[in-house]
Amino acid sequence: MMEDSSPLLPALLMVIGVGTGVWMLRQSWGARDAHGRGWVIGGWLLIAASFIRPIWALGTARGAFIALALFSIAALAVIASGYSIKVARARATRESLAPEPSDRATTKGRETLRWLLAGPIGMIAAMGVGIAWAALAPGEQQTRLVIGGLIVPVAWGACMAWTLADNRILRATAVLVGVAVVSFSAAILKGFA
């Protein structure tokens, strides 16, 4: 008898297991006593078992990919099933609980420096981190290049968000210039071999 390697049955079992596990975790949010701990433990155990089954049945590469893809779909479906629209109550006017951005008056020089930090200087620092990864990380050259290339836009976005949110512009300048200098220096000293 030939064994069926179709991913349909393990995927279906995985969706049911993860959906039930996420539902159990959702039930734990409403439980305030020791009963909630049982929901949490049971939910995480069921999710872990649901991940192991497709990986074991379909292999580490294909099974892990299917498990990760279906986990997010099943979790989103369970969470979205509890979505409800509530009518906002009228509140008295009061100060916002969220911190407000700095009310300090800005100058043309600070605006220019912030623009430079979020744009070109942040990009140079992000490229330095990506190039340093490609030069210094262990592994095959192709893998290091791809991962280094994927790091650059994420690091650049982080640089932009940080410099635009930070009130201390000189600290951001020092950190980004320092990261650029250190990462490019390390990449140059090591080389790509």
Side-chain angles (χ1 to χ4, degrees), residues 46-134:
L46 192 55
I47 289 171
S50 299
F51 266 107
I52 293 170
R53 172 70 178 133
I55 291 172
W56 177 70
L58 302 173
T60 55
R62 187 167 76 161
F65 175 76
I66 291 172
L68 287 174
L70 292 178
F71 169 75
S72 41
I73 293 170
L76 180 64
V78 169
I79 292 171
S81 69
Y83 177 76
S84 64
I85 299 174
K86 296 182 181 178
V87 179
R89 292 181 279 171
R91 294 187 303 196
T93 57
R94 61 182 177 133
E95 287 290 322
S96 173
L97 297 177
E100 295 296 326
S102 177
D103 293 331
R104 180 176 19 180
T106 182
T107 63
K108 197 66 163 166
R110 286 180 65 83
E111 285 180 7
T112 304
L113 182 58
R114 196 171 296 276
W115 178 83
L116 286 171
L117 287 173
I121 296 173
M123 179 187 62
I124 291 169
M127 286 176 55
V129 171
I131 291 171
W133 178 275

Side-chain angles (χ1 to χ4, degrees), residues 31-49:
R32 302 280 184 224
D33 54 2
H35 187 61
R37 185 176 298 159
W39 285 112
V40 171
I41 293 170
W44 282 116
L45 286 175
L46 192 55
I47 289 171

